[in-house]
Amino acid sequence: MSVAVLKPGLLTTVQDRGRFGCGALGVGQAGPMDEVVHRLANALVGNPDDAAALEITLIGPRLRFDADATIALAGAEFDARIDGIPLTPWRPVRVKAGSVLDGGRALRGARASLAVAGGFHAKSVLGSVATDVNAGFGTPLRADDTLAFTGTDPVFVKHPAWSLDPRPWFDTDASKPVRLIRGRHFDVLTAASRSALFGAEFRIAVESNRVGYRLDGLRLELVRPVEIVSEPLAFGALQLPPGGQPIALMAEHPVTGGYPRIGQVAAIDLPRLAQRRPGDSLRFEEIDLDEAQTRYLRRERELARLLDAITTRLA
């Protein structure tokens, strides 16, 4: 069973949950920018949460399904259509062989995940099919590509009108601050820069991508130059290059780096950060490590219950 790519969209990539345990080789995790959306999209079609789905960015692809399938679109609000009929997001949808999905444009948010029952197939590298554009593992979709997917029976939906309420899990309100933990070099910032980090407004630069978001705004300064041996980096690390404009590292971040680390975006807010567009404003709100961990564990418990409930509903 396969899907023909008629138009690739702006940046559409195959993603599973990423490559784990390869940092010693200099290979990052990659995977989806919004992991929660990825997991929910897969759950809606009966897949495990690490199945390969398509991550769609700002402008969606145009795809022709050459076999019957069950799909789910979750995440940013796209004006997607199937054979000209609006596609209802956040629920499993039956697609007939020969149908064409037009992903449209993102009306709110930046990224969505498109899952298909059985999962998409792609070449596995180091145990994962996740596309890492920066590292050259896989490539974004191109016109005339063909994507295979497992020939499983479509998910049986007991309640055709049922769909998932995304509000507890998906928030694109750019007016809300992103919670940030102080980094190990926070105290090397000047007093004015420490205040600005949690008080000033930044703007996501046009040059931002899956590697990192460059943040335009008030120039942050250090009390003194800092010589740093390259250190391990994580998704959400906030680095400060010599130019004074912070960079928030994203899904394809390098595994090590030598710029001062002035903060770390709380894991619970990484999906919200991933849904910001170039040009969006961004403010940070301080959170301590204990509270960040508590909120993350609470979310994971609630998400696990929701995933179980979806599985039950589709059984």
Side-chain angles (χ1 to χ4, degrees), residues 6 38 50 87 100 112 120 126 142 153 163 216 226 236 242 270 287 302 310:
L6 307 180
H38 177 89
D50 61 348
L87 171 63
V100 173
F120 290 102
L126 296 175
R142 297 165 295 194
D153 292 332
S163 62
D216 292 336
V226 181
L270 289 176
I287 186 173
E302 293 171 352
I310 293 172

Side-chain angles (χ1 to χ4, degrees), residues 221-297:
E221 298 179 328
L222 303 176
V223 173
R224 62 184 184 279
V226 181
E227 293 292 335
I228 301 172
V229 176
S230 288
E231 299 175 326
L233 295 171
F235 191 170
L238 191 67
Q239 289 190 301
L240 186 65
Q245 303 300 150
I247 298 175
L249 298 182
M250 304 303 285
E252 292 185 14
H253 65 84
V255 296
T256 60
Y259 293 142
R261 289 184 294 129
I262 58 175
Q264 173 68 44
V265 175
I268 51 170
D269 277 359
L270 289 176
R272 293 180 51 232
L273 181 59
Q275 293 295 343
R276 299 290 175 90
R277 305 168 178 243
D280 279 354
S281 61
L282 177 64
R283 293 182 298 112
F284 291 114
E285 177 181 84
E286 186 171 6
I287 186 173
D288 64 35
L289 180 59
D290 287 344
E291 184 180 359
Q293 290 177 327
T294 298
R295 288 174 179 263
Y296 173 76
L297 293 173

